[in-house]
Amino acid sequence: HYYITNNLRMVTTTMLSTLWEYSAWAAKWSTLFLMLTPLFLTVWFYLMSITAHVYRWRKREVSEAFNDSFWDGFRMSLAAITEAQGKIWHNIEFDGLQHLPKKGGALLVGYHGALPLDAYYFLAHCILERRKLKLVVDKFLYNAPGLRLLMKVLNLTPGTISGCVTALKDGETLMIYPGGLRESLLSDEKYELIWNARQGFSRVALEADVPIIPFFTENIREAARSIKFSARLASWLYEKTRLPVIPIIGIFPVELTMHLGRPLSFDDEEEPKIVAEIVTQRVTQLIETHQRRPGSILRELYNRFWVRSRGHPHSD
């Protein structure tokens, strides 16, 4: 009888203790949830308010686009929201737009940041300006589950040579990063190109007989940065998987300026290797001209929110 009573007491005590711990855990997390819910609702309402302001700002373009087709209106709506976000968060600017041809195709070739934020904002700009732009994206992104429809609607392509040539001959502007995912993950604040002597873009430009416009976006590595504890390990992981397995941090509200260089025209008899080398040099020159290296996230945040807001000279 003593043992039975003692065991019952121990079981009851354990159950009550467990129930108390669970109640305390549930109370803590439910309280946190209740505290955060108003914050989430507030953020949601502000996002809706910002969307309303953006729609009013671009009402004419969005309305006309919806009159043309549903997908045109959808693209225009996304572009208007993306443009506003880029202006508010990064004060995004485009320098050298006069170098884009009024008619005919052109191939934009540039440096790939950890995230291609410049491509998103430039795509939004082109949609709002009614300019045809096709972005060449990595195959893993194009084939990601659930994204194929969005890729088609926004005119993103995995970029075969024949497909790119056709688009350029049809008068579209094509934007490509020769460094691709490798440069995105393995480059750093030194802004070194990792193109590995690629020549596909030069073959495309020569076959389509269009100019190449080099570009570089200032501070793109300060907006988002890949984290590499070991450059050798990071390179090994990428080469083994060909997937974005390296973590990326951001998105920091630094100022971004996309610089478009002067168009480069070549004879169709030019060697693709020579064309690729010339374009590589021009993109490198843009980096040397417009980017302080090594880049610094803290410095650029300080420049934007402290130095420039008070009218002081740019901090070096």
Side-chain angles (χ1 to χ4, degrees):
H1 177 74
Y2 170 77
Y3 287 112
I4 294 175
T5 303
N6 190 47
N7 287 335
L8 285 174
R9 186 181 295 113
M10 291 177 61
V11 170
T12 303
T13 301
T14 302
M15 291 178 62
L16 290 174
S17 176
T18 302
L19 181 62
W20 174 258
E21 291 178 359
Y22 174 78
S23 300
W25 176 86
K28 180 179 69 175
W29 287 105
S30 61
T31 301
L32 180 62
F33 174 78
L34 292 174
M35 291 175 62
L36 290 178
T37 298
L39 177 61
F40 291 148
L41 290 176
T42 301
V43 171
W44 176 247
F45 277 115
Y46 271 104
L47 286 175
M48 289 192 294
S49 177
I50 291 172
T51 302
H53 282 289
V54 170
Y55 179 79
R56 185 177 66 176
W57 180 34
R58 290 286 188 175
K59 180 173 62 176
R60 182 176 60 82
E61 292 89 340
V62 174
S63 298
E64 290 177 356
F66 270 113
N67 288 334
D68 294 337
S69 75
F70 171 79
W71 290 118
D72 283 345
F74 177 75
R75 274 189 294 269
M76 192 68 70
S77 300
L78 287 183
I81 294 172
T82 302
E83 180 192 52
Q85 185 271 327
K87 198 66 181 175
I88 294 170
W89 196 250
H90 293 296
N91 194 26
I92 181 72
E93 298 286 348
F94 300 103
D95 172 45
L97 291 175
Q98 69 275 13
H99 297 316
L100 294 173
K102 299 295 183 182
K103 294 182 180 180
L107 181 62
L108 274 66
V109 179
Y111 173 82
H112 199 313
L115 293 176
L117 300 174
D118 47 356
Y120 306 149
Y121 299 134
F122 188 65
L123 175 61
H125 171 81
C126 289
I127 291 175
L128 294 170
E129 295 298 322
R130 301 284 186 170
R131 171 180 286 274
K132 292 183 179 180
L133 177 69
K134 187 183 290 290
L135 298 181
V136 177
V137 299
D138 198 278
K139 291 181 180 179
F140 95 89
L141 180 62
Y142 189 80
N143 295 322
L147 294 183
R148 181 65 63 85
L149 176 60
L150 183 64
M151 297 288 130
K152 291 182 178 179
V153 170
L154 295 180
N155 208 16
L156 277 61
T157 175
T160 62
I161 289 182
S162 60
C164 290
V165 170
T166 300
L168 289 170
K169 287 184 175 180
D170 288 341
E172 293 190 70
T173 300
L174 195 69
M175 188 174 183
I176 187 171
Y177 299 97
L181 189 58
R182 178 183 285 104
E183 187 170 82
S184 166
L185 299 175
L186 303 182
S187 187
D188 55 23
E189 64 274 14
K190 296 178 183 177
Y191 287 86
E192 296 176 350
L193 299 181
I194 307 178
W195 291 8
N196 293 352
R198 290 186 174 179
Q199 303 173 27
F201 67 90
S202 58
R203 293 193 182 96
V204 166
L206 292 173
E207 186 172 343
D209 192 24
V210 297
I212 296 177
I213 301 177
F215 74 89
F216 167 71
T217 302
E218 188 177 349
N219 293 332
I220 192 66
R221 281 277 160 187
E222 279 57 73
R225 185 166 294 178
S226 54
I227 301 300
K228 302 182 291 294
F229 300 102
S230 167
R232 182 175 297 180
L233 176 61
S235 179
W236 181 84
L237 283 173
Y238 170 75
E239 297 300 339
K240 288 295 182 180
T241 63
R242 297 300 175 96
L243 293 173
V245 293
I246 299 171
I248 294 175
I249 60 171
I251 302 170
F252 302 104
V254 300
E255 290 189 337
L256 297 178
T257 303
M258 182 176 176
H259 301 279
L260 281 70
R262 294 181 179 277
L264 303 172
S265 297
F266 302 94
D267 296 331
D268 56 4
E269 297 180 356
E270 192 74 69
E271 288 291 330
K273 180 180 179 181
I274 302 299
V275 172
E277 290 175 352
I278 293 174
V279 175
T280 301
Q281 293 172 2
R282 291 300 180 89
V283 174
T284 301
Q285 289 173 3
L286 288 174
I287 295 173
E288 293 174 348
T289 301
H290 299 289
Q291 183 66 52
R292 186 184 176 192
R293 297 181 291 174
S296 169
I297 297 172
L298 292 178
R299 183 183 65 236
E300 296 307 326
L301 291 173
Y302 174 76
N303 282 333
R304 181 179 183 188
F305 294 107
W306 181 261
V307 176
R308 294 178 185 175
S309 64
R310 286 158 177 75
H312 298 303
H314 190 280
S315 172
D316 290 329

